[in-house]
Amino acid sequence: MTLLELLTLLRKHLRLVIVLPVACAIAVAAYAFLFMENTYSTTTSMYVLALDQTATGANLYSDLNASQQVANDIAQLMDSSRVRDDAARAVGLEDLDGFDISVASETNTRVITLTVTGGEPRAVAEVANALAESVGDVAREVMNVESVNVIDEASAPTAPSGPNRPLYIAVGLMAGLFAAVAIVVLMDMLDTRVRGDEIVELLGVPVIGRIPLVKGGN
């Protein structure tokens, strides 16, 4: 099937090509706005301060690569059950299963960024700050660091960070369009009726005459 033939088919079934994508987009929009709950994200950043290791007071972690390794180790502590359980108890929760927690440690720096996403603005801020305090306590106890200082405390977000409803609607629209094209092509492939000059090509016989179709004739 050539592109021109495909365009001709789509034009022939233009109503389906328009209605189906619009219907899919409306269905996705209804689901997104009625059944998908808003999510909120907040961020806090921390700075890792390492202990001096020598008598001269030279910092063992003054090298940037070593500093990055320490920050990475502390970032890994965020995934430990101890840190998360302590943070959950601090905010009065049994666990943090309802929150999406991500930690990023920038290259060649001791700064750690913690992002918490959940369904309540105030709750995500409380959890983020509790995690920052908890990981600082654990890091001082189990690692050779002086402190993990909070640079910016997490605050309750004022607007939702998700879901991205316009994106979902656009995907639904495109899915409906692809489905409409597939249906049109499938309908054409399953239609084995012969129309017009197609019979000449199939039988290989010449045309000896044509009878015109006159509308309104007797």
Side-chain angles (χ1 to χ4, degrees):
M1 179 181 294
T2 65
L3 179 59
L4 181 59
E5 292 174 338
L6 177 60
L7 293 177
T8 302
L9 279 176
L10 295 180
R11 184 178 179 181
K12 181 180 178 182
H13 300 279
L14 188 59
R15 178 177 297 179
L16 175 64
V17 175
I18 294 176
V19 171
L20 185 57
V22 172
C24 289
I26 294 175
V28 173
Y31 179 81
F33 283 98
L34 295 178
F35 299 101
M36 297 179 69
E37 297 182 355
N38 289 334
T39 57
Y40 299 85
S41 297
T42 189
T43 301
T44 181
S45 55
M46 296 157 282
Y47 180 81
V48 179
L49 182 61
L51 284 173
D52 291 340
Q53 297 294 312
T54 65
T56 60
N59 197 324
L60 180 62
Y61 302 108
S62 59
D63 180 79
L64 289 177
N65 291 329
S67 298
Q68 173 64 18
Q69 184 61 50
V70 174
N72 286 338
D73 291 342
I74 295 178
Q76 291 297 320
L77 288 178
M78 288 290 185
D79 292 328
S80 67
S81 299
R82 178 178 176 183
V83 170
R84 298 200 176 196
D85 290 345
D86 289 347
R89 284 193 294 269
V91 296
L93 298 175
E94 293 184 0
D95 53 56
L96 302 181
D97 291 343
F99 299 88
D100 182 17
I101 302 169
S102 62
V103 184
S105 180
E106 301 296 335
T107 304
N108 296 332
T109 181
R110 299 177 185 179
V111 176
I112 301 172
T113 302
L114 169 66
T115 302
V116 178
T117 302
E120 295 291 337
R122 183 178 177 181
V124 295
E126 292 177 349
V127 168
N129 292 325
L131 281 170
E133 182 177 355
S134 177
V135 76
D137 294 339
V138 175
R140 286 192 297 269
E141 180 180 343
V142 303
M143 299 175 63
N144 199 11
V145 297
E146 182 176 340
S147 63
V148 179
N149 299 324
V150 175
I151 302 174
D152 297 311
E153 288 190 356
S155 57
T158 57
S161 59
N164 191 346
R165 294 185 175 93
L167 177 61
Y168 291 143
I169 294 173
V171 171
L173 184 67
M174 294 303 298
L177 179 60
F178 290 143
V181 173
I183 291 173
V184 169
V185 173
L186 183 61
M187 289 171 56
D188 181 70
M189 293 176 60
L190 296 178
D191 188 359
T192 59
R193 292 177 295 177
V194 179
R195 298 180 179 86
D197 294 338
E198 294 178 357
I199 191 171
V200 177
E201 298 178 1
L202 291 175
L203 298 179
V205 296
V207 177
I208 60 175
R210 295 177 182 271
I211 302 176
L213 177 63
V214 181
K215 294 184 178 180
N218 295 325

